[in-house]
Amino acid sequence: MSSEGPFEGASGAGSAGTPDPPAPKTPEPSGVDLARVALRAAKEQARARGDAAQQKKQARRGGLRSGARSDGRDPLPLGSAINRLITERGWETPAAVGGVMGRWPQIVGDDLANHCVPQRYDEDERVLTVQCDSTAWATQLRLMAPQLVARLNEDLGHGTVRLIKVLGPGGPAQRFGPLRAPGSTGPGDTYG
């Protein structure tokens, strides 16, 4: 026999002749640990079932309520609350025109939007006032006004805008004094 012991040849030596490191021992979960894990999983499942049931119950009865029956005090989503306020106050047309003022470049085009800016909307007379930065752009907008009114009414509803009032550029403030000619409106009389 050789000088090796009976188990030395099968000792688990690697191909390079070094022994494998011992595998770390993981403790087996005890009964208490298993119970904690099972309890945590059961709580999460119950919470998920409860949340789903609560959402289904709120959806069935029409959302959150302040009491046993729905009334005007119930909480509303923000969009619904704003739409309700606009309807109650009769602000549909001004809100729609305000949206047009926000989308002005998309409606009239970038060239015109760079030189002509909507200033105000008179709901009673249904007149949209637009200020231009030069007389040339004011003239261009006056020529395009019928097509622009038709486009706005198509977007907002028939009859929302009856007329577009075009303003030329504002001149410097008029100064009155001894060096002014009587009846002269100053440098502002060449605009418009």
Side-chain angles (χ1 to χ4, degrees):
M1 261 197 157
S2 68
S3 64
E4 294 179 10
F7 297 106
E8 287 183 19
S11 67
S15 60
T18 59
D20 289 335
K25 290 187 178 181
T26 56
E28 289 289 322
S30 66
V32 174
D33 294 331
L34 289 174
R36 284 185 185 140
V37 170
L39 180 63
R40 187 179 312 125
K43 282 182 177 180
E44 289 174 3
Q45 289 174 353
R47 187 177 303 121
R49 281 194 310 269
D51 289 345
Q54 181 71 17
Q55 289 174 355
K56 191 183 291 184
K57 185 177 176 183
Q58 284 180 357
R60 187 172 47 242
R61 68 178 188 182
L64 293 174
R65 289 195 181 157
S66 59
R69 291 177 183 80
S70 64
D71 59 8
R73 299 176 299 154
D74 294 340
L76 293 173
L78 183 61
S80 299
I82 289 174
N83 289 336
R84 180 176 167 185
L85 179 68
I86 287 172
T87 303
E88 286 175 355
R89 302 283 171 109
W91 294 340
E92 291 94 355
T93 302
V97 172
V100 165
M101 289 184 178
R103 294 181 293 123
W104 185 251
Q106 290 87 13
I107 293 172
V108 299
D110 290 332
D111 288 339
L112 194 61
N114 289 335
H115 300 283
C116 302
V117 179
Q119 295 294 315
R120 63 187 165 274
Y121 174 73
D122 185 4
E123 185 178 2
D124 296 331
E125 296 182 18
R126 301 191 183 275
V127 175
L128 179 66
T129 304
V130 179
Q131 173 106 35
C132 297
D133 62 359
S134 72
T135 55
W137 282 104
T139 303
Q140 180 70 24
L141 187 62
R142 283 186 190 106
L143 293 173
M144 293 177 54
Q147 293 91 3
L148 191 55
V149 167
R151 189 180 314 163
L152 289 170
N153 284 329
E154 181 180 306
D155 192 33
L156 298 172
H158 183 68
T160 304
V161 177
R162 187 179 54 82
L163 178 71
I164 294 180
K165 182 178 178 183
V166 180
L167 302 176
Q174 297 180 3
R175 295 184 190 97
F176 299 101
L179 300 178
R180 297 282 172 199
S184 171
T185 58
D189 65 0
T190 59
Y191 295 122

